[in-house]
Amino acid sequence: MKNLLKSALAILLPCVFVMPIFAQPSMTPPEEIRKFGWMVGEWSGKMKWLMEGMEGEMDMTLKNEFEGQFLKTTSAMDMMGEKFTEVSFMGWDASKKRYSSWTFTNFAPLPRIEHGTMDGNKLVFISEPWLVMSEEPTVSRATLTKISDKEVSFTLEFKQEEKWEKVAEGTFKKKT
């Protein structure tokens, strides 16, 4: 009887420990995120901005990579002698058939949460209200337009009452 119990444990215990490994969710991006594989790599560009009566140009660099089920974007920009940084994770919400993005910046106390859809060659994200260097919550719309696998244009707008006001636009090219 002792030998039978030992044999049963010898067979069952490895199964108990191995089964959770096979039950783990996929650690790779879903197809809806993998289709942005052309974006993986380093990018740079210039953005023209106009906010609160001030205008100027900023240099910006981006690095896109897959991390788990997400497309991760790390960016840095120089504007008016200040350095701004962001780390963003874009995922696919299959239940709502939309993209969602969580962006952590050094200029806002909480992440910016956005939801978006593809419209032809345009990826359009609209944010939930978030604090962007002010006390008043802002709703933003970001539009990324694919020009080619090595060039995109970007437009950022803030909602002012019922209208969208453009606050920045520019183009980015993939470094070779």
Side-chain angles (χ1 to χ4, degrees):
M1 184 70 163
K2 256 185 175 177
N3 286 340
L4 182 60
L5 184 58
K6 283 183 184 179
S7 295
L9 286 175
I11 292 170
L12 290 175
L13 282 179
C15 290
V16 169
F17 291 108
V18 171
M19 288 305 287
I21 292 170
F22 294 113
Q24 294 293 324
S26 174
M27 295 299 288
T28 60
E31 179 59 35
E32 292 82 2
I33 297 295
R34 282 195 313 267
K35 73 180 182 180
F36 293 104
W38 61 272
M39 291 178 66
V40 171
E42 295 184 18
W43 297 71
S44 63
K46 288 194 179 291
M47 299 275 292
K48 293 180 183 176
W49 57 270
L50 174 62
M51 285 185 261
E52 299 180 5
M54 299 186 302
E55 61 182 88
E57 261 192 10
M58 64 180 145
D59 294 316
M60 191 168 178
T61 59
L62 304 163
K63 180 181 178 187
N64 294 304
E65 59 191 317
F66 291 125
E67 187 168 307
Q69 296 186 36
F70 299 94
L71 177 64
K72 176 183 175 184
T73 302
T74 306
S75 64
M77 57 194 124
D78 293 311
M79 183 171 84
M80 296 176 27
E82 296 290 328
K83 186 168 190 130
F84 298 93
T85 60
E86 293 188 339
V87 177
S88 177
F89 291 88
M90 180 176 75
W92 174 250
D93 185 341
S95 67
K96 295 183 179 172
K97 304 256 189 267
R98 69 180 184 188
Y99 295 95
S100 289
S101 177
W102 300 265
T103 303
F104 302 85
T105 75
N106 68 338
F107 57 88
L110 297 170
R112 179 175 68 246
I113 300 170
E114 300 169 290
H115 306 288
T117 58
M118 286 296 296
D119 182 11
N121 64 339
K122 295 180 181 190
L123 178 61
V124 181
F125 275 101
I126 297 179
S127 75
E128 295 179 4
W130 65 293
L131 296 176
V132 55
M133 298 189 291
S134 71
E135 300 286 323
E136 288 294 315
T138 300
V139 174
S140 57
R141 178 169 65 186
T143 304
L144 183 73
T145 305
K146 180 180 179 181
I147 297 168
S148 73
D149 284 354
K150 296 187 179 217
E151 185 175 11
V152 296
S153 67
F154 179 78
T155 303
L156 177 64
E157 300 164 290
F158 288 163
K159 194 164 195 177
Q160 302 291 327
E161 295 173 18
E162 294 303 312
K163 296 189 305 186
W164 290 103
E165 183 177 314
K166 188 184 305 181
V167 294
E169 66 181 338
T171 58
F172 296 90
K173 293 190 178 191
K174 191 173 191 178
K175 296 179 182 179
T176 54

